[in-house]
Amino acid sequence: MAAKYPLSEEELSCPVCYEIFRDPVVLLCSHSVCRTCLQQFWKTKGSQECPVCRRRSSKEYPPSNLVLKNVCEAFLESRSQRSSAGSEGVCSLHNEKLKLFCLDDQQPVCVICQTSRNHKNHNFCPIDEAVTDCKTKLQTALESLQKNLKVLEEAKRDYDQTAAHIKTQTQHTERQIKQEFEKLHQFLRDEEAVRIAALKEEEEQKSQMMRRKIEEMNEEISSLSDTIRNIEKEMKAEDIQFLQVRRSPKHPEKTSGALINVAKHLSNLKFRVWEKMQEIIQYTPVTLDPNTAHPNLHLSDDLTAVENRDQRSSVSDNPERFDKCRGVLGSEGFNSGTHCWDVQVGDRNNWTLGLIPDSVTRKGESCWDSVWGLGYIKSRDKYYTFCPGQSGLYLTPKEKLQRVRVQLDWDRGELTFTDLLTNTHLHTITHTFTERLLPLFRNVSDDPLRILPVKTSVTVEQHS
């Protein structure tokens, strides 16, 4: 009777060359192919696809399937032995059935081989047990590969989602940039039109003045021409009559200010336009980073306001993003100096303003253990403070807070909160800061928290 083998020759054959596997590699789809056959297939096909299921492979050099390689080598060796013996499952040396498996040499042997010098002190097991063990090992290796494949597929889905989000971000940001520049272009076009209109108005005024002067001059010329003709006649008269004529010709006066005041229109033109541009330009000392915003938060286009929404947005689950805390961080951090920003909180349900270290993970609820801040809970109508390692304090402002100033003095280790409407000091947190801090904004309301702009001015300094 032929020896029983765990896998058939068909199962051990490459799907490309249909020969027993030689140096098999395993793809992410779990299919195995001879390394040489796979490279030739990819070269001919022009893309890295599985020859069986046509699924694309992200790895240029797939890992070797060592278990399958060992099984194939054992199968080839066994087949060679069976061929030389002239029948299946028969020892080529002793013509006995191969009933045992040498665990040291990893090959089937007969009972005579077991007692031979070549297998002295070796460990053996029945051939059926060896087949079962080999299948178990292969199944374990296969399950491990399948788990790895699942992990890789999940990671790839995350990468695909991130890539799609990057494209969406680019399109949205490009559209906003164009809109902002269109506002600037429109302002410049309007300003250009105003200034050209002023120039044309001055031209019309001075042209009218010159037309009146020319008309007056024409009248003077006509009158003077008549006078000249009369004088010429009088010069022919008698001497007594000539002496009685009195002539005092007028000399035309020069007109000052008749030319276009070019200096008024061109002097420091760019500066004057830039100075006026402040009317449409706002500056906020802190802006929000959309890559950190919880999926339920919506940011304004200018990144200065945040509101909560029930529907989650389709954003990537990147490491910088909050997934439990409904918060968003400022786009820039601070590790020195003094910084200040004002926030309109209004009648919000729940909000928090403060700072968080850049190194703190944004995932889970544990991030709250590292927050320095001031918050409000509407259900309790209470204002409270956060400070790592310390119990929070409840505050009782004289009036309901509408606008709050957050001021950080990193070097002195002070974080101060002020009621802007009453100019009242609320609370100061003292701490020795040692790392980069990021502004934190938490909002659980559909009314937005809004960072307020500061006044800007253009000044001219003259140096001696």
Side-chain angles (χ1 to χ4, degrees):
M1 180 180 289
K4 185 178 180 181
Y5 207 78
L7 296 172
S8 66
E9 182 173 346
E10 181 180 355
E11 292 173 310
L12 298 178
S13 297
C14 171
V16 176
C17 65
Y18 302 106
E19 298 292 336
I20 301 299
F21 284 107
R22 302 280 186 179
D23 189 16
V25 295
V26 62
L27 301 175
L28 294 178
C29 55
S30 300
H31 292 118
S32 295
V33 187
C34 291
R35 187 182 301 276
T36 302
C37 295
L38 181 63
Q39 296 299 329
Q40 183 61 37
F41 178 82
W42 283 356
K43 183 178 180 180
T44 303
K45 187 70 175 177
S47 60
Q48 296 182 180
E49 297 180 356
C50 172
V52 179
C53 65
R54 292 299 189 268
R55 181 174 176 176
R56 291 186 61 83
S57 174
S58 60
K59 291 187 176 182
E60 187 178 358
Y61 302 99
S64 297
N65 192 336
L66 298 179
V67 175
L68 181 59
K69 181 180 180 181
N70 292 335
V71 172
C72 291
E73 289 178 350
F75 179 84
L76 290 173
E77 183 177 355
S78 175
R79 187 171 67 176
S80 176
Q81 292 177 351
R82 291 196 303 270
S83 176
S84 62
S87 63
E88 291 186 355
V90 177
C91 177
S92 60
L93 296 177
H94 307 107
N95 203 26
E96 294 285 337
K97 290 184 178 180
L98 300 172
K99 296 182 178 182
L100 301 175
F101 188 77
C102 179
L103 299 175
D104 297 272
D105 293 336
Q106 290 291 300
Q107 66 179 33
V109 295
C110 67
V111 292
I112 299 177
C113 291
Q114 180 185 14
T115 59
S116 66
R117 184 182 303 171
N118 292 336
H119 296 279
K120 187 177 182 180
N121 297 325
H122 285 189
N123 296 314
F124 300 88
C125 71
I127 197 82
D128 292 342
E129 291 183 10
V131 171
T132 302
D133 291 344
C134 184
K135 283 186 176 182
T136 301
K137 291 179 181 179
L138 187 60
Q139 181 64 31
T140 302
L142 180 61
E143 291 175 355
S144 177
L145 291 173
Q146 289 173 339
K147 289 180 180 179
N148 292 339
L149 176 61
K150 185 176 180 180
V151 171
L152 291 173
E153 287 175 341
E154 291 177 354
K156 182 179 180 297
R157 281 195 295 269
D158 290 340
Y159 289 149
D160 290 340
Q161 185 181 16
T162 301
H165 187 60
I166 289 172
K167 188 172 183 178
T168 302
Q169 278 186 310
T170 301
Q171 294 172 345
H172 179 66
T173 306
E174 180 182 356
R175 184 165 57 251
Q176 288 181 274
I177 290 173
K178 289 182 177 180
Q179 290 173 355
E180 291 302 314
F181 270 94
E182 177 56 30
K183 293 177 183 177
L184 295 176
H185 295 158
Q186 187 60 48
F187 171 83
L188 292 175
R189 287 193 291 266
D190 293 343
E191 189 65 19
E192 177 187 11
V194 168
R195 293 179 179 273
I196 290 179
L199 174 63
K200 295 295 184 181
E201 183 180 359
E202 183 181 359
E203 178 194 19
E204 180 61 24
Q205 292 174 353
K206 294 190 173 179
S207 295
Q208 287 181 0
M209 181 184 68
M210 292 310 299
R211 283 195 294 270
R212 287 195 301 270
K213 293 291 184 180
I214 291 172
E215 289 176 0
E216 292 175 0
M217 193 61 60
N218 286 334
E219 292 177 359
E220 288 289 334
I221 291 173
S222 177
S223 176
L224 185 59
S225 298
D226 292 341
T227 302
I228 291 173
R229 284 193 297 271
N230 291 333
I231 291 174
E232 289 176 345
K233 290 179 180 180
E234 291 170 356
M235 288 179 67
K236 299 177 181 179
E238 298 297 332
D239 293 341
I240 297 300
Q241 293 177 343
F242 176 77
L243 291 175
Q244 291 176 347
V245 177
R246 295 289 186 266
R247 292 290 181 264
S248 54
K250 294 182 179 180
H251 293 282
E253 297 178 356
K254 296 291 185 180
T255 303
S256 61
L259 300 180
I260 295 294
N261 190 350
V262 176
K264 182 184 74 172
H265 298 287
L266 294 182
S267 180
N268 293 314
L269 176 60
K270 294 177 183 177
F271 177 81
R272 298 304 176 195
V273 174
W274 175 43
E275 190 176 35
K276 190 175 180 181
M277 192 177 288
Q278 292 178 96
E279 298 174 4
I280 66 166
I281 292 177
Q282 291 185 336
Y283 173 78
T284 50
V286 171
T287 55
L288 305 175
D289 182 0
N291 293 336
T292 65
H294 184 278
N296 283 84
L297 295 182
H298 175 75
L299 274 56
S300 61
D301 288 340
D302 61 358
L303 305 179
T304 62
V306 55
E307 64 183 57
N308 180 65
R309 293 183 179 178
D310 294 332
Q311 186 176 4
R312 295 171 66 93
S313 57
S314 56
V315 294
S316 62
D317 186 22
N318 49 300
E320 300 87 356
R321 191 180 305 282
F322 288 106
D323 63 346
K324 298 295 183 183
C325 163
R326 302 233 173 161
V328 60
L329 299 180
S331 58
E332 295 184 15
F334 313 118
N335 56 10
S336 64
T338 301
H339 309 274
C340 178
W341 55 98
D342 301 334
V343 184
Q344 183 168 340
V345 295
D347 188 17
R348 312 295 190 252
N349 291 332
N350 295 281
W351 53 263
T352 302
L353 306 176
L355 295 165
I356 190 171
D358 190 14
S359 60
V360 173
T361 179
R362 319 288 164 74
K363 307 303 181 183
E365 298 285 355
S366 61
C367 60
W368 286 111
D369 298 335
S370 304
V371 174
W372 295 275
L374 170 69
Y376 174 69
I377 301 179
K378 186 176 182 180
S379 59
R380 300 181 184 177
D381 196 21
K382 293 285 187 180
Y383 297 94
Y384 57 95
T385 63
F386 289 92
C387 190
Q390 298 181 19
S391 300
L393 299 175
Y394 284 103
L395 305 179
T396 54
K398 295 180 180 180
E399 298 182 10
K400 190 173 182 64
L401 298 180
Q402 297 292 323
R403 295 185 177 185
V404 177
R405 171 165 291 173
V406 184
Q407 185 164 346
L408 168 68
D409 191 332
W410 194 97
D411 300 313
R412 296 181 61 181
E414 294 181 352
L415 177 60
T416 303
F417 298 94
T418 305
D419 181 357
L420 274 183
L421 293 185
T422 62
N423 198 25
T424 303
H425 172 263
L426 296 172
H427 186 68
T428 296
I429 298 174
T430 58
H431 183 83
T432 302
F433 302 119
T434 58
E435 59 179 303
R436 184 170 178 259
L437 304 177
L438 289 166
L440 171 69
F441 303 85
R442 173 178 171 267
N443 188 12
V444 193
S445 169
D446 55 3
D447 292 327
L449 286 175
R450 188 176 302 278
I451 306 168
L452 300 175
V454 297
K455 291 183 178 180
T456 59
S457 61
V458 177
T459 59
V460 178
E461 294 184 3
Q462 292 184 339
H463 300 281
S464 57

